[in-house]
Amino acid sequence: MILQVQNVTKRFGGLQALSDVTFDLPEGQILGLIGPNGAGKTTLFNVINGVYAPNAGRVIFRGEDITGKPSYEVSRRGMARAHQVVRPLHELTVRENVMVGACFGREGLHLAAAARKADAALAQVGLADRADQPSGNLNVAQKKRLELARALAAHPYLLLLDEVLAGLNPSEIASMMETIRAIRDEGFTILMIEHVMQAVMSISDRILVLDYGVLIASGSPEEVVNNPQVIEAYLGDPEMTARLMAE
Amino acid sequence: MWEQLAASLTDGLLLGFVYGLAAMGLTLIWGVMSVINLAHGPVIALGMFGTYLCFTHLGLNPYLAVVLVAVLGLPLGFFIYGVAVHRVINAPHLSSLLATFAVNMIIIGVGTAVFSTSPQNIDFSMGTLEAGPLTVPGTRLVAAFGAVLFTAGLYLFLYFSRPGKAIRAVANNRRAAELMGIPSSLVLALSFGLGTMIAAAAGGLIATFFPFTILSGGTYELKSFVICVLGGLGHPLGALLGGLILGGLEGLVPTFMPVSWVPVVEFGLFVLVLLVKPSGLMGAK
Amino acid sequence: MQAWRRLGFWLPVAVMFVWGLLVLVMHHDTVRETAFTLFMFIALASSLNILLGYTGYVSFGHIVFFGLGGYFGFYLLSQHNWPLLPSALAGGVISALIAGLLGMAILRLRGAYFALATIGINEAARAFADNFSPFGGATGMFIQFSAYEPYGGPGPALWASFIYLWIITLAVILVSYLVKHSRFGLGLLAIREDEDAAMVMGVKAPRAKTIAFMLSAVGPGMIGTLYFFKNGNVEPGDAFQLHMSIEMLVMVMLGGMGTVLGPLLGAVTYVGLRGYLLTTPIFQNLHLAVAGLILLLIILFVPAGAVGWVRSRVPWLRRALE
């Protein structure tokens, strides 16, 4: 198992954001994490990669207990993340942005090697021609690709992708999916939060469903789609239900 | 010993009300727009000179002059906000810090040219009040009372008037307030005006019992920083409490150690509170 | 690309080198005094830039390191008869150590809270120096005339202090460049842009910020010692001037934050402008107000500073103007 999340609980004041969440992620798989808005998906990511310390429970990454370690320690152990809200370092060029990932990720490369790695990662996500532009100039789809390239350049064992498809149009989604499949085929393990159901169902080996901080279902995409609890969780959100049922 | 202690504490606490009022101007502006107004000191100094000029040239009663100065402070605040702050309100902190500091330089520069830096004082006495072992100068008592009045006025305005409620809404969440139709630019300008008004009034009150120069505002600006942090940046009523703590310290510390150690204690406490409890001694968050 | 980068480095270094040489060749006291002030501010602004420009932390009380380092160096110099160079180095080391300790505490604060804390520390340090009798309390410390003897009298001693300042200024510019073009510097830039995102990418922000804070304190500590040696005395009012602290910020802002050349340009422009305003009859009385007005106009309309403005307008100069 590359990642084991055991009985993780996180509270913010009186709000129970995560209750007793437990799951395993074997190496080489794509695990999809879905759930209605506010279900605690991003909070779960934040606990896994050390932005928040959980109130209870443990996070074990490649056999090592990383619970409560600061996020930079987690990053150096080989976990990288692409954010839902894109956070490019505006004043830096696209290449420099990706170099940050390469320099401070698992391999901790030096500048020259990081620049080569950055160019490779940019080619992989299709941003090579933008390398010298300030990252503030990119459009949303390109910024999403930049987030992905930055995470890739860290050469992590595990990639956390937080809604990398959100805000993209259908053709952009299709090409991003291609990219993610290619990344998986290179041997990266991926944990992804996604709202675009069709995409996440077709790409994931397994799906986890989170609702009000509770893990209500897990299994193959087919099992999850037919789980009555999952359908009920989405009933509060008719649009999501429709999309789910369309599968 | 105890009598002396009581006397210094009374002295300090009375001053503390006025310090608290000065800091309230700073903390109000911070609370609403997250701007540290580095023109705060010069505005206090302008309040001092405004009161002084009304007293010497117009022959006004100093307390009437303070009220007049406060009224004039409001448009001055609008003006400073419009010229220097509005454009940088969403820029990084450094921009608003330097913009308000530029205003500081302009006021001090012009003020020095007009008033020179020689000390002035308002030659005015309210007699003294004696209660047992305590002897309190009337001017300080009235100033403390005035500070409480201004505070009460501000409180009533913020909590019971429409513009006051709009200020609190914007302070709480500017974007949400805008979505609800509150014109945030106007509210920000009004808050800056109020903050300036309060600072000027505090300056006027201080001028009734301490000599001052155009540079004196700097001292009170630094004191205001300390007070705001003690009371919790952004909480007007906390500022009054912070003022009383600072005033109390200034009264008590000299009975235990040389008076020159007072600033060491003050700023040491300031840094400590920032580190341990940046939300202020009363802060809940 | 590499050639441009080298130009971005060689330009400021060559300017500083030739300038210092010219002052030595001309051997004129007034020229030296002017250059001393300019070099001092160039080095102070460049030091501050490592924290402000690269890391994005606004230190309003940065002059505290000039004051504390200068006080300590001057103490060794005047009370223990240390020679100038070791005293200055010790002043720099002490500054850095104090910055390291303070940094571990206050660099947790962000934005305006950090700025406020630095103001508080500067005032606390000033008040402390006022009361600390080994440092002479409120009257400060003086140099005995004999301290100039090893240099052959007061005149040559002033020249020696200028030469040390020249070397330190060159070193500060070198460090500024090296930091910017290192892996460490890239981490600092990432912190400046988005500290939380930088940490998620693996930048050890608490450690990197503290090191940047220490680096930005070394230069001011050494220069403080030289400056007070040149003046012959040190006192709390001179050492911890909040006003000077803000002037440093203005210089960095004026020239362009986060560039190697910016602080140099900003310092020269600011000192030149101040000198002009002070010596021109119409502005003499209003020099502070005019300077304030210019500052305000720059913040409102050219917030990126001179170098930033040129960089955004003339793309091919981007690389040259590091």
Side-chain angles (χ1 to χ4, degrees):
Chain A
M1 290 297 151
I2 191 163
L3 179 72
Q4 293 162 279
V5 171
Q6 301 175 343
N7 311 100
V8 160
T9 296
K10 177 71 191 169
R11 284 181 294 270
F12 295 106
L15 180 77
Q16 187 85 10
L18 294 172
S19 317
D20 205 19
V21 174
T22 300
F23 68 88
D24 290 339
L25 173 53
E27 201 156 348
Q29 282 200 359
I30 295 185
L31 179 60
L33 177 58
I34 65 170
N37 282 324
K41 303 185 294 291
T42 298
T43 305
L44 180 57
F45 267 27
N46 281 334
V47 168
I48 291 174
N49 87 332
V51 175
Y52 302 143
N55 296 95
R58 297 202 302 162
V59 180
I60 293 164
F61 181 54
R62 302 182 71 239
E64 185 189 0
D65 189 343
I66 58 162
T67 318
K69 286 225 184 325
S71 50
Y72 49 83
E73 296 286 350
V74 176
S75 162
R76 283 168 193 232
R77 283 170 171 71
M79 193 190 300
R81 172 173 179 179
H83 289 90
Q84 173 185 10
V85 181
V86 287
R87 303 172 102 167
L89 310 170
H90 285 274
E91 296 278 309
L92 305 186
T93 65
V94 170
R95 180 185 287 113
E96 285 167 337
N97 263 275
V98 182
M99 280 166 67
V100 175
C103 277
F104 298 96
R106 174 165 75 84
E107 294 177 319
L109 297 176
H110 286 278
L111 279 183
R116 284 193 295 276
K117 184 93 187 177
D119 285 338
L122 284 170
Q124 203 170 357
V125 302
L127 269 183
D129 51 332
R130 307 274 173 187
D132 288 314
Q133 288 189 0
S135 61
N137 293 359
L138 300 181
N139 64 29
V140 175
Q142 288 164 338
K143 280 178 182 164
K144 293 262 175 187
R145 286 178 176 277
L146 174 58
E147 279 280 335
L148 189 60
R150 223 159 50 173
L152 276 180
H155 204 75
Y157 296 113
L158 173 63
L159 257 179
L160 305 181
L161 304 181
D162 193 347
E163 294 203 38
V164 288
L165 302 178
L168 302 187
N169 66 35
S171 73
E172 286 166 347
I173 288 178
S175 87
M176 188 65 124
M177 295 273 289
E178 287 292 303
T179 310
I180 294 173
R181 278 204 184 86
I183 292 168
R184 192 257 321 264
D185 293 343
E186 277 181 45
F188 289 96
T189 309
I190 296 174
L191 174 56
M192 65 189 296
I193 295 176
E194 205 43 76
H195 268 314
V196 182
M197 285 301 152
Q198 196 188 355
V200 73
M201 291 296 170
S202 71
I203 204 170
S204 303
D205 298 302
R206 272 171 65 228
I207 302 277
L208 298 176
V209 189
L210 208 54
D211 187 33
Y212 289 110
V214 180
L215 206 56
I216 57 168
S218 76
S220 70
E222 296 75 30
E223 286 165 4
V224 163
V225 169
N226 296 316
N227 182 319
Q229 250 189 306
V230 176
I231 295 170
E232 192 180 332
Y234 275 94
L235 274 180
D237 192 342
E239 193 195 353
M240 295 299 287
T241 315
R243 269 199 254 167
L244 195 66
M245 303 314 267
E247 282 301 307
Chain B
M1 171 68 192
W2 288 109
E3 284 180 10
Q4 199 207 333
L5 213 61
S8 346
L9 187 62
T10 313
D11 245 16
L13 288 179
L14 286 179
L15 264 182
F17 280 106
V18 185
Y19 288 168
L21 182 67
M24 215 172 288
L26 192 72
T27 210
L28 178 70
I29 292 173
W30 167 266
V32 177
M33 60 194 93
S34 298
V35 166
I36 290 182
N37 178 20
L38 290 178
H40 185 65
V43 168
I44 293 175
L46 284 183
M48 293 170 165
F49 273 88
T51 308
Y52 169 76
L53 290 177
C54 289
F55 175 72
T56 51
H57 287 64
L58 303 177
L60 277 182
N61 175 293
Y63 299 109
L64 213 58
V66 169
V67 173
L68 183 66
V69 161
V71 170
L72 291 174
L74 193 65
L76 175 68
F78 287 157
F79 181 72
I80 296 176
Y81 177 82
V83 171
V85 183
H86 186 67
R87 270 186 76 106
V88 293
I89 194 88
N90 292 319
H93 279 295
L94 179 62
S95 302
S96 57
L97 284 165
L98 286 181
T100 53
F101 186 73
V103 175
N104 174 320
M105 287 167 77
I106 294 170
I107 296 176
I108 295 291
V110 175
T112 309
V114 177
F115 302 116
S116 84
T117 52
S118 49
Q120 309 288 347
N121 71 305
I122 293 179
D123 191 9
F124 171 79
S125 167
M126 294 281 289
T128 55
L129 187 81
E130 294 196 23
L134 300 179
T135 311
V136 181
T139 45
R140 293 217 191 169
L141 203 60
V142 177
F145 184 65
V148 174
L149 273 186
F150 270 108
T151 309
L154 180 71
Y155 177 80
L156 291 176
F157 180 78
L158 287 180
Y159 282 82
F160 296 101
S161 77
R162 276 183 69 87
K165 286 177 181 170
I167 287 179
R168 288 194 301 129
V170 171
N172 210 277
N173 186 334
R174 194 190 309 163
R175 195 169 297 166
E178 276 172 14
L179 287 175
M180 282 165 16
I182 296 174
S184 74
S185 290
L186 275 180
V187 172
L188 294 178
L190 177 64
S191 317
F192 206 94
L194 278 177
T196 307
M197 173 179 180
I198 293 168
L205 289 176
I206 293 168
T208 60
F209 51 78
F210 279 157
F212 52 89
T213 73
I214 189 71
L215 304 176
S216 299
T219 316
Y220 298 101
E221 182 173 314
L222 287 172
K223 284 190 201 300
S224 296
F225 288 153
V226 178
I227 292 167
C228 289
V229 167
L230 289 179
L233 258 172
H235 300 281
L237 289 179
L240 200 64
L241 179 80
L244 290 175
I245 295 175
L246 193 78
L249 278 178
E250 287 194 1
L252 288 181
V253 169
T255 58
F256 299 108
M257 50 178 98
V259 66
S260 54
W261 280 95
V262 170
V264 184
V265 175
E266 280 177 6
F267 289 105
L269 188 66
F270 167 73
V271 175
L272 203 69
V273 173
L274 260 181
L275 288 176
V276 179
K277 212 156 180 303
S279 55
L281 292 176
M282 292 224 305
K285 280 173 274 182
Chain C
M1 193 171 91
Q2 281 305 311
W4 283 120
R5 289 213 161 170
R6 284 197 202 103
L7 180 66
F9 168 63
W10 285 117
L11 189 66
V13 168
V15 168
M16 288 308 300
F17 187 74
V18 172
W19 190 353
L21 270 187
L22 276 178
V23 174
L24 289 184
V25 169
M26 286 166 76
H27 208 80
H28 196 288
D29 286 354
T30 329
V31 175
R32 185 200 63 218
E33 283 303 295
T34 314
F36 193 100
T37 309
L38 275 166
F39 284 18
M40 179 171 99
F41 277 114
I42 289 170
L44 288 177
S46 295
S47 297
L48 177 63
N49 188 42
I50 294 175
L51 184 72
L52 174 70
Y54 299 165
T55 322
Y57 274 70
V58 183
S59 174
F60 250 75
H62 214 64
I63 202 70
V64 74
F65 297 115
F66 175 83
L68 284 177
Y71 246 104
F72 190 76
F74 196 87
Y75 169 75
L76 295 175
L77 197 85
S78 62
Q79 314 296 313
H80 295 277
N81 299 316
W82 280 39
L84 180 56
L85 193 59
S87 303
L89 292 177
V93 170
I94 280 289
S95 261
L97 290 179
I98 293 171
L101 289 175
L102 285 176
M104 280 191 263
I106 65 169
L107 283 163
R108 286 184 291 136
L109 301 168
R110 294 200 186 171
Y113 286 91
F114 178 78
L116 273 182
T118 58
I119 295 180
I121 283 169
N122 185 53
E123 294 306 312
R126 183 221 301 265
F128 178 77
D130 245 331
N131 289 289
F132 191 58
S133 47
F135 282 178
T139 44
M141 294 177 285
F142 298 87
I143 276 187
Q144 301 298 318
F145 194 75
S146 61
Y148 295 125
E149 271 166 17
Y151 308 94
L158 293 184
W159 279 105
S161 64
F162 172 76
I163 293 171
Y164 293 150
L165 175 65
W166 181 36
I167 296 167
I168 290 168
T169 308
L170 279 168
V172 168
I173 291 175
L174 180 71
V175 169
S176 171
Y177 179 86
L178 289 179
V179 167
K180 179 150 188 187
H181 295 282
S182 66
R183 183 168 166 272
F184 168 67
L186 186 63
L188 294 184
L189 297 180
I191 291 172
R192 177 186 76 188
E193 298 292 318
D194 185 335
E195 187 165 341
D196 297 318
M199 291 213 280
V200 168
M201 283 187 274
V203 179
K204 262 190 189 165
R207 198 184 66 174
K209 287 186 294 188
T210 306
I211 295 173
F213 200 42
M214 292 173 76
L215 279 177
S216 72
V218 177
M222 292 193 286
I223 292 162
T225 310
L226 297 178
Y227 179 75
F228 298 124
F229 174 79
K230 180 179 86 83
N231 284 1
N233 76 314
V234 58
E235 53 177 314
D238 280 347
F240 302 99
Q241 296 181 58
L242 195 56
H243 196 264
M244 206 161 139
S245 208
I246 296 171
E247 283 181 320
M248 283 159 66
L249 283 168
V250 172
M251 289 171 200
V252 176
M253 183 96 184
L254 201 62
M257 272 188 277
T259 63
V260 179
L261 187 62
L264 196 159
L265 269 182
V268 173
T269 315
Y270 183 87
V271 175
L273 181 74
R274 191 180 56 180
Y276 171 76
L277 291 175
L278 273 172
T279 51
T280 309
I282 341 167
F283 297 127
Q284 212 162 18
N285 287 325
L286 285 171
H287 78 273
L288 198 60
V290 177
L293 192 63
I294 294 170
L295 172 61
L296 186 58
L297 292 175
I298 289 168
I299 292 155
L300 296 182
F301 301 107
V302 204
V307 173
W309 187 81
V310 173
R311 280 183 60 159
S312 65
R313 293 281 178 304
V314 192
W316 59 270
L317 274 175
R318 266 191 79 85
R319 283 293 162 203
L321 298 173
E322 286 293 348

